[in-house]
Structure formats: structure tokens, C-alpha cells
Amino acid sequence: MGLFSKEIKSMDDLFVHTLQDIYYAEKQITKALPKMMEKASNPQLKQGFEQHLRETEGQIQNLEQVFQMMNMEPKGVDCPAIDGIIEESNEIAGEVEDPKVLDAALIAAAQAVEHYEITRYGTLITWAQELGRSDCADLLKRNLAEEKATDEKLTQLAESRVNMAAAR
Ligand SMILES: [Fe+2]
Ligand SMILES: [Fe+2]
């Protein structure tokens, strides 16, 4: 369904469509994270991916609860944006041999994923509030907080890489 298809008539429809989009995205991310974990050499990065995989599973449960609150079955819609981000990171990672360079590529790819999630959750929270669904907004805020914390951890890892390189 295209974003401007006639099936989206109201803010409610738009909210649900975007909820289905992030639900699909989170599921794709649970498939991508184990592969990223495997490729990472830095133990902190590896462990960070592992932790975020568990968080992502919890986020999927939060989303399922939001669907329930909206009296809807949890369902995903194709999200070409997240597919593209994951596909691009796989392509780049496949071309890198040096483990340190590969870690840098993985951090960059993971941050692209987190930033996508942050924009989606930000929008969903605003719309949930507009629709008078602060109950849904509260659950979505929990997911957003985890994405932001993950992004910050990735920034710290990226910066410690740069510092280590400078000290060499
Ligand atoms: Fe997520
Ligand atoms: Fe995330």
C-alpha cells in the first residue's frame, strides 16, 4: 500500500499504517542483528548488538500491545526503507576484510537503523497524542528511549575507535 493510497483516509488510518511499518521493521531488525553480531570483532560492539536484539524482541511485544489497544491484530506492511538500509549494510559489510574497518561499517549501519526507528517512533508518539491515545504513546516512548540509548552507545563506540586510532 503506497503512503498516499486511498485506503488511508484518517489520522487513525495513518497511525495504524505507520505502526504496521515499524512492526515490520522491528521484525527485519531481529533477523539482521544476529548477523551483525557474528561479524563484529570488538567485544563491546558484539555485546551491544546482543543486548539490543533482546530489547528489540521486547519492543515487538510493546508494539503488539499497542495493536491490541487499537483493537487490531498485529500485522506488518512492507517497509522498503528499512529493507534498503539493511541491504546496503549487508553489501558494504560483505566487501570489508579488515575487522577494524568492518566494525566501523557495522557501527555506521546500526546507527542508520536506529535513526530510522527514532524518526518513526517520534512521529507515532506525536500522532498517538493527537488521537488522544496517551496509553499507546507511553508504550511507544519506551521503545524510543531504547533506540536513543542504543544510538548513543554506538556513538561512544565510534568515538573510542577514533581515539584509539589517533593514539596509535
Ligand atoms: Fe527497535
Ligand atoms: Fe533499534
Side-chain angles (χ1 to χ4, degrees):
M1 184 165 58
L3 182 58
F4 298 109
S5 101
K6 284 179 188 148
E7 284 165 62
I8 298 175
K9 292 187 184 119
S10 63
M11 280 311 292
D12 255 311
D13 298 340
L14 189 59
F15 176 75
V16 167
H17 179 268
T18 307
L19 191 63
Q20 291 171 336
D21 172 295
I22 193 71
Y23 186 63
Y24 171 89
E26 293 291 12
K27 291 208 156 179
Q28 295 308 108
I29 293 164
T30 58
K31 290 182 209 159
L33 277 170
K35 291 179 204 157
M36 293 169 87
M37 225 162 86
E38 227 171 84
K39 285 180 195 156
S41 338
N42 179 306
Q44 270 173 291
L45 183 60
K46 230 185 224 306
Q47 193 242 317
F49 284 147
E50 197 180 353
Q51 187 193 332
H52 199 49
L53 174 60
R54 286 195 302 272
E55 283 173 347
T56 302
E57 284 160 355
Q59 291 172 358
I60 289 173
Q61 287 176 358
N62 287 345
L63 291 176
E64 286 170 352
Q65 221 176 307
V66 176
F67 276 109
Q68 258 181 16
M69 290 161 140
M70 299 293 292
N71 291 318
M72 297 205 53
E73 285 292 313
K75 198 187 96 182
V77 283
D78 280 357
C79 169
I82 198 72
D83 285 341
I85 291 171
I86 293 172
E87 198 184 304
E88 189 183 6
S89 84
N90 285 341
E91 258 170 45
I92 294 172
E95 283 169 17
V96 180
E97 271 179 38
D98 182 329
K100 287 204 183 83
V101 180
L102 181 54
D103 276 355
L106 290 170
I107 291 171
Q111 284 198 287
V113 171
E114 295 315 310
H115 284 221
Y116 178 74
E117 294 181 290
I118 288 168
T119 164
R120 281 293 179 249
Y121 281 120
T123 297
L124 279 166
I125 290 163
T126 305
W127 288 346
Q129 277 156 349
E130 185 182 332
L131 293 168
R133 297 304 305 253
S134 54
D135 53 345
C136 297
D138 287 347
L139 275 166
L140 295 164
K141 277 182 197 167
R142 281 194 224 165
N143 287 11
L144 177 62
E146 286 176 353
E147 313 301 15
K148 282 189 177 166
T150 303
D151 182 48
E152 271 164 34
K153 261 191 245 165
L154 287 163
T155 298
Q156 278 167 17
L157 274 172
E159 283 169 0
S160 71
R161 273 195 64 255
V162 173
N163 292 341
M164 257 157 45
R168 232 182 270 148

